[in-house]
Amino acid sequence: MSDSSTAQASPLLYFVAGLLCASIASHLLARPSPKRDGNAMIGEDEDWDSDDDGPAEANCPSSAWGISDAPYKMVLCVNTSLSMGKGKIAAQCGHAAVGCYKRAKRHCQAGLSAWERTGCAKIAVKCPSEDEMDEIAAKALSRGIPIYLVEDAGRTQIAAGSRTVLGLGPAPVREFDGVSNHLKLM
């Protein structure tokens, strides 16, 4: 290789290595911070951070949800402090919806089935900050609502690791009272 081809390869290698490191860091930081709920920690349960399709835990309130708990909805809390474009918001909401679906499949299969049979309702709401997203995530976890927090890879409009959308549910509509019902529609 000549000196000029080596010089051209170095920035590309640094770019690829940076993407790999950002991806790993994003995955590790995607877990919600632990919150105290009496003597138990919520938000650190490995099952909530896993995307596999294993069975739900019997002590999780959402494992008992079913068609009798309808109506259901999924809430997508968009971090408006990031000033994302419409297309970026749509893509990030898509990531959150898929992540929530996978979590619900693991933790509340009967509730997920009821949500599917009753129209798959989804709403997008404005969330003014990451701090509020963290508070909402903690409240949702305490009620057994599946959550998924999207962190951007940083390839387009915003910085890597930015928390763009917090997905909640699907869950019975009543479960969102006091969690996200104060946020305005997008």
Side-chain angles (χ1 to χ4, degrees):
M1 266 187 174
S2 68
D3 290 333
S4 65
S5 65
T6 304
Q8 290 175 356
S10 293
L12 179 61
L13 289 175
Y14 285 119
F15 177 75
V16 171
L19 287 177
L20 180 61
C21 290
S23 176
I24 292 168
S26 174
H27 178 72
L28 293 174
L29 296 174
R31 294 181 179 188
S33 59
K35 308 285 184 200
R36 289 265 176 213
D37 181 22
N39 294 327
M41 296 287 278
I42 59 174
E44 284 296 303
D45 179 359
E46 187 62 31
D47 288 340
W48 284 104
D49 295 324
S50 172
D51 285 336
D52 68 14
D53 297 329
E57 287 195 23
N59 62 354
C60 183
S62 60
S63 64
W65 293 340
I67 193 68
S68 63
D69 296 298
Y72 280 78
K73 70 179 176 180
M74 181 184 291
V75 176
L76 305 169
C77 304
V78 179
N79 184 350
T80 56
S81 70
L82 297 174
S83 301
M84 295 178 283
K86 292 176 185 176
K88 183 72 169 178
I89 290 171
Q92 299 299 297
C93 285
H95 293 316
V98 170
C100 282
Y101 184 92
K102 291 169 85 174
R103 298 274 164 88
K105 190 173 181 182
R106 177 178 171 97
H107 293 282
C108 50
Q109 291 177 357
L112 178 64
S113 178
W115 175 71
E116 290 175 318
R117 286 184 281 155
T118 58
C120 299
K122 293 170 280 310
I123 64 166
V125 295
K126 299 174 185 179
C127 189
S129 69
E130 278 190 31
D131 290 339
E132 184 148 2
M133 286 172 71
D134 290 341
E135 291 173 20
I136 291 168
K139 289 177 184 177
L141 283 172
S142 72
R143 293 183 180 208
I145 298 173
I147 70 165
Y148 189 83
L149 180 60
V150 181
E151 289 189 2
D152 194 66
R155 294 186 192 107
T156 57
Q157 298 177 9
I158 55 178
S162 297
R163 294 176 171 189
T164 58
V165 177
L166 171 65
L168 307 171
V173 169
R174 69 173 185 272
E175 295 296 328
F176 293 95
D177 289 343
V179 176
S180 63
N181 60 334
H182 65 286
L183 300 174
K184 297 195 183 301
L185 293 174
M186 287 288 298

